[in-house]
Amino acid sequence: MRYSIFGESHGPAIGVVLEGVPAALELDLEQVQAELCRRAPGKDPTATARKEADRVHVLSGVFEGKTTGAPLCMVIQNTDQHSTDYEALRWTPRPSHGDYAGFIASQGALDFRGGGHFSGRLTAPLVAAGAVAKQILAQRDIWVGSHISAIYGVLDRAMDDPEELKSVAGKAFPVLDDAKGEEMRQAILEAKAEEDSVGGAIECAVMGVPAGFGAPDFGRNVEGIFSQYLFAVPAVKAVCFGAGVGFSYMRGSEANDPFEVTEGGVGTKTNNAGGVNGGITNGMPLVFEVTLRPTPSIALPQESFDLRTGEEAEIEIAGRHDPCIVPRAVPVIEAAAALAACEVLGI
């Protein structure tokens, strides 16, 4: 499958076109909506106050409840825009946002309202596409789960078994240790009170992918395919598989995953490799962690410049923004992982 996201944060609507969707899939739109509700804004003081119902509407590709094999187009209306909040930013790009790069790439034609096509708002149609991918994967007994692994230095407890992620899927704040989750919430609220923001990380696992998919080559490497999808999510700045940067603290005797033979087949006693060897799946869960930067749009004064004159300028950003994007990004990362898994499997 291939997806293409369209729309802008303050335009009339946003959406996604999925091509290559297998025909005759009984598409559960309630499940698609449930995934969107996990990401939706305006439900918690740790998130933006923007309120969007994020009701998904299917324009094409589904007939009598089943996918037709034609391009699947899903649209979500924008209903709560405050575009005037951004007028002061038309000529002064926000530091570390896509404003300046987008202005140059678009030859000055960028929609600056709410970040336009660069906005985190565009992750809603990504979640819709990922919800379709999850249903396709479920037919093959493959599922995707995740948890918030860190926010501003507060760490969730280590995941002992990816099966644990099934227990956090329904949580409003998806962590393994609720006490740590409350510490994370307090860190977010403290930053919000100081007109600032914080970043964090999400650990994700894809369970049930058989061994033998992928290749060491460029373009077919499993870690490369996943990274391409994950880095398309706004705010993601790092991706690591398995032990990740922890490998730099290990010896080979600690890092290697010993094989074991069980009634279920061949596996490994540990999963430091994150389910991939030589760019190919090894049958163990695909486990990775993504790091998300703090939201660039903060209310504190920041240094910028005027695009018209080239002179330095100070800006103060109005509008409604997440003091931490991480909690709402959990279903987004799962969606990207589900789409990546479909590509790895040749769906």
Side-chain angles (χ1 to χ4, degrees), residues 16-347:
V16 61
V17 176
L18 261 174
E19 296 183 85
V21 180
L25 170 70
E26 292 187 3
L27 186 61
D28 186 343
L29 285 176
E30 290 186 5
Q31 186 57 45
V32 174
Q33 193 61 57
E35 290 293 309
L36 283 165
C37 288
R38 293 175 65 200
R39 193 218 70 96
K43 301 184 297 184
D44 191 279
T46 60
T48 174
R50 180 171 178 173
K51 295 184 182 297
E52 294 282 1
D54 282 354
R55 300 300 304 180
V56 64
H57 302 280
V58 175
L59 297 187
S60 65
V62 177
F63 181 67
E64 296 182 342
K66 293 183 179 181
T67 56
T68 64
L72 173 61
C73 181
M74 295 180 285
V75 172
I76 300 165
Q77 301 295 320
N78 288 328
T79 61
D80 187 25
Q81 308 99 310
H82 290 183
S83 298
T84 55
D85 290 340
Y86 295 89
E87 187 62 40
L89 301 175
R90 179 188 286 267
W91 303 112
T92 48
R94 291 167 290 180
S96 293
H97 204 284
D99 295 350
Y100 174 65
F103 181 87
I104 298 300
S106 69
Q107 301 181 55
L110 179 73
D111 182 350
F112 63 89
R113 303 168 302 166
H117 192 67
F118 293 86
S119 172
R121 176 90 185 114
L122 276 296
T123 60
L126 174 59
V127 168
V132 176
K134 282 186 173 183
Q135 293 182 42
I136 294 169
L137 293 173
Q139 294 181 329
R140 295 162 170 78
D141 295 323
I142 297 170
W143 63 270
V144 183
S146 62
H147 72 114
I148 301 170
S149 53
I151 287 180
Y152 195 52
V154 180
L155 306 181
D156 193 13
R157 74 166 175 81
M159 179 177 67
D160 296 323
D161 184 344
E163 290 284 341
E164 293 182 285
L165 298 180
K166 292 181 177 179
S167 67
V168 305
K171 290 185 178 180
F173 204 89
V175 291
L176 298 169
D177 185 333
D178 290 333
K180 289 296 183 181
E182 187 54 37
E183 288 184 43
M184 293 177 187
R185 286 176 54 85
Q186 290 306 310
I188 297 171
L189 293 174
E190 287 174 12
K192 180 180 179 180
E194 296 172 7
E195 301 183 323
D196 214 333
S197 63
V198 293
I202 295 169
E203 187 178 36
C204 185
V206 183
M207 298 284 291
V209 178
F213 286 89
D217 311 324
F218 175 81
R220 298 191 295 159
N221 180 289
V222 170
E223 290 145 318
I225 291 171
F226 268 80
S227 294
Q228 185 172 6
Y229 280 83
L230 294 165
F231 278 118
V233 177
V236 170
K237 301 302 290 184
V239 176
C240 61
F241 274 77
V245 296
F247 281 119
S248 66
Y249 298 94
M250 295 180 179
R251 292 186 173 185
S253 56
E254 300 170 294
N256 290 349
D257 297 313
F259 284 106
E260 63 176 353
V261 179
T262 65
E263 292 183 2
V266 176
T268 58
K269 294 182 178 180
T270 56
N271 192 22
N272 291 320
V276 184
N277 294 123
I280 302 171
T281 58
N282 63 19
M284 295 296 288
L286 297 175
V287 179
F288 60 87
E289 186 176 55
V290 299
T291 300
L292 297 96
R293 59 158 296 122
T295 313
S297 293
I298 58 177
L300 293 172
Q302 297 187 79
E303 296 175 354
S304 183
F305 76 103
D306 192 306
L307 289 162
R308 298 163 296 183
T309 65
E311 295 179 355
E312 293 183 356
E314 184 176 85
I315 63 171
E316 293 187 19
I317 300 170
R320 300 162 296 173
H321 308 282
D322 291 89
C324 181
I325 199 65
V326 176
R328 290 178 55 219
V330 169
V332 182
I333 296 304
E334 291 180 13
L339 289 161
C342 284
E343 179 167 337
V344 167
L345 294 168
I347 299 171

